[in-house]
Amino acid sequence: MPWKKLVSGISYYDLDCQSGGVSRLMRIAPGKNILPHTHKGNELTLVLQGSFCDEIGRFARGDIADLDEQVEHQPLVDSNVDCICLIATDAPLKFTTLLGRLVQPVTGF
């Protein structure tokens, strides 16, 4: 599968989505984290491999995180293998740091 590199240790693969939202696979290396963010809508995340933890708890293979605009979090991969997740969102993420807001237009997240 032709993963697209976002930054070192973080890659994604966009899936065809007919609903107007975004569906993608994310692959994140052990010890890496996503920038702090909340959501402008809903985000469903299914963990396919590995695990991550955030302000809500720990999510491992088979777990589903169901998040909305009331949740701010910063997922961190805590497994010793890449964490691969299927993520579906109905609106763009809302990054809460300056760096996140600066890179968002470039990444499309």
Side-chain angles (χ1 to χ4, degrees), residues 46-62:
L46 169 63
V47 181
L48 301 173
Q49 173 184 294
S51 62
F52 72 88
C53 60
D54 65 8
E55 288 74 3
I56 305 301
R58 185 171 188 270
F59 299 88
R61 184 177 176 179

Side-chain angles (χ1 to χ4, degrees), residues 32-51:
K32 294 288 186 175
N33 63 313
I34 301 295
L35 292 171
H37 65 277
T38 185
H39 308 89
K40 294 181 182 177
N42 297 301
E43 176 185 89
L44 285 173
T45 301
L46 169 63
V47 181
L48 301 173
Q49 173 184 294
S51 62

Side-chain angles (χ1 to χ4, degrees), residues 47-105:
V47 181
L48 301 173
Q49 173 184 294
S51 62
F52 72 88
C53 60
D54 65 8
E55 288 74 3
I56 305 301
R58 185 171 188 270
F59 299 88
R61 184 177 176 179
D63 290 340
I64 297 174
D66 184 2
L67 306 170
D68 61 21
E69 66 277 353
Q70 296 178 8
V71 176
E72 181 178 338
H73 67 143
Q74 184 176 17
L76 168 69
V77 174
D78 64 353
S79 57
N80 59 359
V81 297
D82 288 353
C83 184
I84 298 177
C85 296
L86 171 62
I87 301 172
T89 58
D90 60 6
L93 300 181
K94 183 178 176 184
F95 288 98
T96 56
T97 64
L98 177 60
L99 178 59
R101 290 190 297 272
L102 290 173
V103 300
Q104 188 168 26

Side-chain angles (χ1 to χ4, degrees), residues 2-13:
W3 292 95
K4 296 177 186 173
K5 183 178 176 179
L6 188 58
V7 296
S8 178
I10 302 176
S11 302
Y12 68 98
Y13 179 80

